[in-house]
Amino acid sequence: MDEVAGELKQALPNVCDSIQVHVEVLQKSNSAAKKEDIRMSVLKLLNRHNIVFGDYKWTEFDDGFLNNNVQSVSIVDTDLKLKDRQPIDLSKGSLSLHIFQLNEEGPSSENLEEENEDIIAANHWVLPAAEFHGLWESLIYETEVKSHLLDYVTTTLLFSDKNVDSNLISWNRVVLLHGPPGTGKTSLCKALAQKLTIRLSYRYRYGQLIEINSHSLFSKWFSESGKLVTKMFQKIQELIDDKDALVFVLIDEVESLTAARSAFKAGTEPSDAIRVVNAVLTQIDQIKRYPNVVILTTSNITEKIDMAFVDRADIKQYIGPPSTAAIFRIYLSCLEELMKCQIIYPRQQLLTLRELEMIGFVENNVSRLSLVLKEISRRSEGLSGRVLRKLPFLAHALYIQSPSVTMPTFLQALSLAVDKQFEERSKLADCV
Amino acid sequence: MHTPSLTAGTRLLPTRHGACAAGNRGGRAFPYFHAAPRQRPFKSQLSADQQMASCGAAAALVSPATSPLLPEAPPGLKRSGRVMSRRSELMVACPVVSVVFPGAVTRESCCLFACELLKHVMYQRHQLPLPYEQLAYFWRRAAKDGDGMKKPPPMDPASKKCQQVLMELEGVFQHLEVMFRLTLVPRVLILLGGNVMRPKEFYELNLEGILEGSAEESLKTASCVRKLFHSLFVADVFSELKALPAMGTVVMLQGHRNCGVDWFRPKLNYKVPTQGRKLTVNLSCDGDINISALPAQNVTSDWEDYVWFQAPVTLKGFHE
């Protein structure tokens, strides 16, 4: 294996060797081994495999110590920095090892009003959480959305570290993701929080993700809503006070909290709502002084958001429906999962879009199925990520209903499911 | 022995919402003062010694001066006035209760301290409607009654919750026993509400000062438990606290990295929270201790090998 890799290295002259390579090491939940011991063993492992092509994941090891203590060692996010899949020389690039364990308990809830126990104002996760493991990898965007977001937070931290005067250069730690429904904005926020907790584990012990239920911040009592917002942010403040924690505040559907104040002039909104907007804005200004907090927000209807809030967001990232290439990758990951679970049997090798491109889209025995999938992807354009992820399920439910199928049959069913999806959509449009 | 009268039971019954006779707002009467609680007709049929038997180790705590059956000495009266000033001080800073045992203690005793403290905290902080021993007793009794019938009675959600909590607690106790057998445990945490990093309130049992001895040269477990709970009672740490809603309780404890326990999950990054209401219970040993008892210096040298472990269950509190 090593010799082959070595030969390949000779054949491909531009081995990329000067990039930062991130290696995520997932320690088993029952392992109490020291981080340093694990680091040494993983470095030994990486030394033996010094050339990798893109992302790679080890789950089985020759080393008994690693077998006992480590779930997986993955080289991740090489595609964010490198356009093409190319060999990476691990011995030359700088390696950063991130060793982490997952927290298995689910979210805990935060109540605001003591006397009213039923209203849950926020869900609260300790990161890295088992629930969000693998979420980052499952989100596929064509442009550099992910690396953009990661770089943004890196810069934020750098500025905080160097004590850049925030009166001269201001940054707000607010990220706004907007776009049509079902494109994975909320998931991306959660995945980003998880990713950053792992990446920054050397300086923060753990992460906290607070997902605010915006509707619960509106009180039934007139003039109380603004106070509820303040109370919520007080709780967040308590979390931030722990310097060992990296705190992420996720406000989903932020337009409900920060509706444009101009609409109030029409008199259609109660004046209580305007106080909420004001309270949120002042609280955000309060929070931005702290280095260990990031506010993540999402919205479907950007034009409804107050301009003062939009101004405060450092990154306003549009998340659109996936392109054909992204759809292809989404389908590919779905099919891969179904083959792993042996619902599609026997296993078939599918080519990636790039591999298809390299052979010039010539149809042969190897590429036939992949070309069918590419055609399905092309026809699926316009569907959202949420719909795409459930299509394999619908295809099975509607057209297959047997415990195991072959790949060609499944692709046929998938194609029918896509057609049905568009049919349903046009019917809905007719009704309206 | 006489059967507790219903009037005494009513008077001593801790109330969750209102004030008790002596202005006991949120804290509960110690279970050991507890006569027969109301609303369960079959409880009043219990004779006192039955109850004591069901209370297991806790029964040993009842000292003659504070007999549960003396109606003229209700617990509430004892905690008025005199303690007030000190109590308010305690609430400002983190209250600390220190107990010094006059000799070495076995590891089994340490395990029992942790278990009893957990039971006590869960009852005092409104996560269990009755003291653990009583709940367990009534549950066993109900289960025995159910055997005779053709069909088990339909379970209402409350009794399902009760059964689950009891089973989980039972599990925690067993695993605590295993853990204490495997490793020295310097500290135990009982965390209520929120999450483990930021609980609403938490209780720390510090065993670092304990000198471990073998069964022959150590103090009797029962007397140590009595001393511990006496100190807790005198410090009066629970009565001023506001009633809590039902929430989750998590148990964490320190143990040796390589102790080989598999039920508890190691949390290498964990550190004791700095926020939230905290009560520390420091246990230590003093007096004429035979050097053959395990010297503590040996273990303190590699203190960093002691890491936090978390019980993989969250004990869900419930109200009746």
Side-chain angles (χ1 to χ4, degrees), chain A residues 29 31-34 103-105 110 117 124 126 205-206 208 238-239 242 244, chain B residues 194-198 245 257 265-271 275 305 307 309-310:
Chain A
S29 70
S31 151
K34 278 188 195 156
N103 287 294
E104 278 150 358
E105 54 261 48
E110 292 277 353
E117 297 160 18
H124 188 170
V126 177
R205 259 167 203 271
Y206 59 98
Q208 303 254 27
E238 282 170 25
L239 291 178
D242 186 354
D244 280 340
Chain B
N195 58 34
V196 289
M197 302 296 183
R198 210 179 63 101
R257 196 186 283 280
R265 300 258 174 263
K267 295 279 160 187
L268 303 174
N269 275 343
Y270 190 75
K271 65 167 189 152
Q275 292 156 349
D305 268 330
V307 295
F309 287 85
Q310 180 181 343

Side-chain angles (χ1 to χ4, degrees), chain B residues 261-305:
Chain B
V261 74
D262 61 348
W263 192 72
F264 287 95
R265 300 258 174 263
K267 295 279 160 187
L268 303 174
N269 275 343
Y270 190 75
K271 65 167 189 152
V272 180
T274 48
Q275 292 156 349
R277 192 182 287 124
K278 179 183 181 185
L279 167 72
T280 312
V281 181
N282 283 320
L283 302 185
S284 53
C285 294
D286 194 14
D288 212 14
I289 292 161
N290 197 334
I291 293 303
S292 75
L294 215 135
Q297 296 90 293
N298 260 3
V299 282
T300 44
S301 60
D302 47 3
W303 219 225
E304 71 269 20
D305 268 330

Side-chain angles (χ1 to χ4, degrees), chain A residues 143-189:
Chain A
T143 49
E144 290 93 358
V145 176
K146 284 159 132 188
S147 60
H148 199 120
L149 287 172
L150 278 177
D151 291 345
Y152 161 73
V153 182
T154 319
T155 308
T156 306
L157 285 166
L158 176 78
F159 273 46
S160 303
D161 273 356
K162 301 274 178 194
N163 282 324
V164 175
D165 187 344
S166 61
N167 288 325
L168 297 175
I169 298 173
S170 90
W171 66 104
N172 285 310
R173 310 166 183 286
V174 180
V175 177
L176 172 64
L177 302 182
H178 61 101
T183 45
K185 296 181 295 295
T186 313
S187 303
L188 181 60
C189 286

Side-chain angles (χ1 to χ4, degrees), chain A residues 303-352:
Chain A
E303 62 271 23
K304 278 253 185 101
I305 306 178
D306 199 86
M307 264 324 285
F309 178 81
V310 176
D311 253 8
R312 276 170 176 79
D314 296 336
I315 287 200
K316 296 169 272 283
Q317 179 70 55
Y318 175 77
I319 310 278
S323 67
T324 313
I327 293 172
F328 188 87
R329 283 173 65 191
I330 291 173
Y331 279 150
L332 209 58
S333 68
C334 291
L335 294 173
E336 199 57 49
E337 178 65 21
L338 286 173
M339 285 194 280
K340 206 177 101 194
C341 303
Q342 300 198 331
I343 289 173
I344 296 178
Y345 192 84
R347 179 172 267 280
Q348 298 266 356
Q349 182 62 45
L350 289 170
L351 302 175
T352 64

Side-chain angles (χ1 to χ4, degrees), chain A residues 226-382:
Chain A
K227 286 182 197 160
L228 279 181
V229 172
T230 313
K231 245 185 187 172
M232 183 75 235
F233 276 88
Q234 262 170 14
K235 295 221 164 189
I236 293 166
Q237 179 70 51
E238 282 170 25
L239 291 178
I240 298 170
D241 287 341
D242 186 354
K243 292 285 170 264
D244 280 340
L246 184 57
V247 180
F248 298 91
V249 182
L250 169 57
I251 311 174
D252 221 354
E253 321 284 339
V254 74
E255 67 271 3
S256 67
L257 268 188
T258 59
R261 280 173 289 188
S262 54
F264 299 128
K265 286 183 198 138
T268 49
E269 294 273 357
S271 62
D272 199 31
I274 199 168
R275 298 197 184 110
V276 172
V277 185
N278 292 339
V280 170
L281 294 178
T282 36
Q283 292 301 329
I284 286 177
D285 285 343
Q286 290 277 320
I287 262 183
K288 69 174 182 190
R289 292 180 289 127
Y290 298 91
N292 56 335
V293 62
V294 180
I295 301 172
L296 306 163
T297 61
T298 73
S299 175
N300 289 334
I301 353 172
T302 323
E303 62 271 23
K304 278 253 185 101
I305 306 178
D306 199 86
M307 264 324 285
F309 178 81
V310 176
D311 253 8
R312 276 170 176 79
D314 296 336
I315 287 200
K316 296 169 272 283
Q317 179 70 55
Y318 175 77
I319 310 278
S323 67
T324 313
I327 293 172
F328 188 87
R329 283 173 65 191
I330 291 173
Y331 279 150
L332 209 58
S333 68
C334 291
L335 294 173
E336 199 57 49
E337 178 65 21
L338 286 173
M339 285 194 280
K340 206 177 101 194
C341 303
Q342 300 198 331
I343 289 173
I344 296 178
Y345 192 84
R347 179 172 267 280
Q348 298 266 356
Q349 182 62 45
L350 289 170
L351 302 175
T352 64
L353 213 52
R354 204 183 131 65
E355 284 163 340
L356 279 176
E357 204 183 318
M358 283 205 306
I359 61 166
F361 300 106
V362 182
E363 186 169 336
N364 59 27
N365 281 340
V366 184
S367 68
R368 188 165 294 122
L369 289 170
S370 308
L371 285 172
V372 173
L373 187 63
K374 183 172 163 283
E375 176 57 22
I376 297 174
S377 309
R378 196 192 53 75
R379 283 197 289 118
S380 313
E381 215 164 306

